[in-house]
């Protein structure tokens, strides 16, 4: 199997290194700058505790056209970069190529085929439908990543915790294609669930990230401090209750209370969310895929979301002031 990783950062680098070390597929990468140079010089590198795993990269380039048609394309870039990725992905796609976005938040295809949405892409995460036009829904394998990693230097991934992947057909159900990908990842050491309803799995993860990510970003607080403050915890619970109501309208009902999820999240302790890490590093934040998209869906299904709206407005303004989110169009 030919596998290409687009975006060899912390998650993409982790997936690439594990797959390459397992030896069942040729793993190439679309990368740039210092990361591309590191891949060409060192190959894939993954540090887990005191153990360093290295494996050769089959090919690495800035240009997808240099790599040819793949069997599986894993997209592991930040949300703001996805439109540009979609615009250049065509050389990697053959008739049977599957595309697996290993990204945070709600993906562009999430409401395609959902009653009331038709085949329309979500404008907040796919303005103008560029991504949907480039990657047909039939190619997509939905994915939820339960892994914590970082990149202390370009091309080197540090694994902190977790090795869970949930994958499934974007339209629901199970298939031989997805099972083959699940087997590939399982052989590489991941804990894989082949889900018949990956949309629900995506919404469930979002249900927690919706508040923890942006509130940590604007306060600078780790998870333990957020949940220890009763006023902040209560505000997050209110936003989660709104998101649960939205989920019910789109076939993604949440069977838990916010407090149940807080109990799970609290096990992370003094953990920095990905959005807080982006703020500290001066990188653009993934606000649209985690919060703006929920605001958009809520408007479409007629659910009032005052707490989510407050999270969106405050975080967007914070990010604009700090140059981490685009200013409003004139």
């Amino acid at each position: 199997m030919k596998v290409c990783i687009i975006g060899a950062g912390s998650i993409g680098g982790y997936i690439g290194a594990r797959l390459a070390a397992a030896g069942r597929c040729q793993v190439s990468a679309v990368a740039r700058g210092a990361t591309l140079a590191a891949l060409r010089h060192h190959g894939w590198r993954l540090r887990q505790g005191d153990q360093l795993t290295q494996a050769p990269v089959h090919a690495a380039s800035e240009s997808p056209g240099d790599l040819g048609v793949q069997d599986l394309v894993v997209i592991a870039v930040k949300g703001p970069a996805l439109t540009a990725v979609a615009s250049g992905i065509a050389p990697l796609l053959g008739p049977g190529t599957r595309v697996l976005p290993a990204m945070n938040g709600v993906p562009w295809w999430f409401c395609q085929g959902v009653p009331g949405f038709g085949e329309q892409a979500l404008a907040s995460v796919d303005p103008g439908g560029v991504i949907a036009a480039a990657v047909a829904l039939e190619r997509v394998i939905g994915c939820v990543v339960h892994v914590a990693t970082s990149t202390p230097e370009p091309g080197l991934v540090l694994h902190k915790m977790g090795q869970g992947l949930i994958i499934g057909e974007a339209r629901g159900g199970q298939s031989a294609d997805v099972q083959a990908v699940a087997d590939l990842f399982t052989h590489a050491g991941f804990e894989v669930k082949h889900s018949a309803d990956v949309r629900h799995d995506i919404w469930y993860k979002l249900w927690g990230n919706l508040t923890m990510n942006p509130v940590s970003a604007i306060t600078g607080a780790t998870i333990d401090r957020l949940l220890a403050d009763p006023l902040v915890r209560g505000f997050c619970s209110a936003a989660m209750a709104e998101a649960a109501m939205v989920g019910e309208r789109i076939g993604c009902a949440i069977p838990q209370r916010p407090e149940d999820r807080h109990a799970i999240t609290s096990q992370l302790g003094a953990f920095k969310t990905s959005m807080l890490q982006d703020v500290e590093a001066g990188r653009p934040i993934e606000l649209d895929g985690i919060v703006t998209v929920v605001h958009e869906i809520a408007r479409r299904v007629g659910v009032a979301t005052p707490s989510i709206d407050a999270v969106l407005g405050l975080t967007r303004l914070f990010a604009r002031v700090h140059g981490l989110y685009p200013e409003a169009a004139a």
Side-chain angles (χ1 to χ4, degrees):
M1 182 180 288
K2 294 181 179 180
V3 179
C4 180
I5 311 294
I6 302 181
S10 60
I11 294 299
Y14 181 65
I15 293 173
R18 293 290 292 264
L19 289 177
R24 279 197 179 177
C25 55
Q26 297 177 353
V27 189
S28 299
V30 175
R32 60 185 181 179
T35 299
L36 176 59
L39 284 170
R40 286 174 169 171
H41 184 71
H42 300 287
W44 300 100
R45 291 183 295 160
L46 169 64
R47 185 172 297 281
Q48 298 174 283
D50 295 330
Q51 180 181 356
L52 177 65
T53 299
Q54 288 188 264
V57 60
H58 180 71
S61 175
E62 289 188 2
S63 173
D66 293 338
L67 304 179
V69 171
Q70 306 288 309
D71 298 301
L72 176 67
V73 177
V74 177
I75 303 176
V77 299
K78 296 286 187 179
L82 185 54
T83 299
V85 166
S87 298
I89 200 173
L92 301 174
L93 306 180
T97 305
R98 301 304 303 264
V99 177
L100 187 151
M103 300 172 62
N104 281 330
V106 172
W108 76 93
W109 54 266
F110 190 76
C111 285
Q112 288 180 256
V114 174
F117 290 84
E119 295 304 308
Q120 183 178 358
L122 293 164
S124 52
V125 289
D126 187 11
V130 173
I131 305 167
V135 183
L137 184 63
E138 290 71 23
R139 291 190 185 275
V140 176
I141 298 176
C143 178
V144 181
V145 179
H146 291 292
V147 174
T149 55
S150 63
T151 48
E153 64 181 74
L156 174 63
V157 177
L158 177 63
H159 178 247
K160 297 179 181 178
M161 66 180 78
Q163 49 195 0
L165 292 177
I166 303 173
I167 63 175
E169 290 286 353
R171 288 195 182 276
Q174 295 183 316
S175 71
D177 270 7
V178 173
Q179 188 57 51
V181 174
D183 292 343
L184 186 70
F185 282 126
T186 298
H187 179 259
F190 290 92
E191 297 173 357
V192 184
K193 173 187 174 184
H194 181 176
S195 175
D197 188 4
V198 76
R199 289 181 65 253
H200 180 273
D201 299 304
I202 290 169
W203 193 260
Y204 178 73
K205 183 179 180 183
L206 174 86
W207 191 50
N209 285 347
L210 168 73
T211 54
M212 293 295 106
N213 261 284
V215 175
S216 70
I218 61 178
T219 62
T222 49
I223 291 293
D224 56 336
R225 297 193 67 180
L226 294 181
L227 293 177
D229 187 305
L231 296 180
V232 174
R233 187 179 182 121
F235 176 71
C236 291
S237 294
M240 292 171 72
E242 295 168 3
M245 287 190 287
V246 175
E248 288 181 4
R249 301 286 182 91
I250 59 171
C252 296
I254 301 293
Q256 288 182 324
R257 302 171 304 144
E259 284 299 323
D260 298 330
R261 181 59 180 270
H262 293 329
I264 296 171
T265 305
S266 66
Q267 296 174 16
L268 295 173
F271 179 75
K272 290 185 179 182
T273 68
S274 61
M275 197 177 290
L276 175 55
Q277 292 179 50
D278 286 341
V279 168
E280 292 181 341
R283 296 187 293 258
I285 63 170
E286 295 184 285
L287 183 63
D288 291 332
I290 294 175
V291 186
T292 314
V293 69
V294 181
H295 172 83
E296 177 186 354
I297 295 171
R299 301 286 80 74
R300 293 286 298 273
V301 300
V303 174
T305 54
S307 297
I308 293 173
D309 297 350
V311 170
L312 174 58
L314 289 168
T315 311
R316 185 170 59 194
L317 181 58
F318 169 88
R320 281 176 171 162
V321 168
H322 291 84
L324 307 177
Y325 186 83
E327 294 289 344

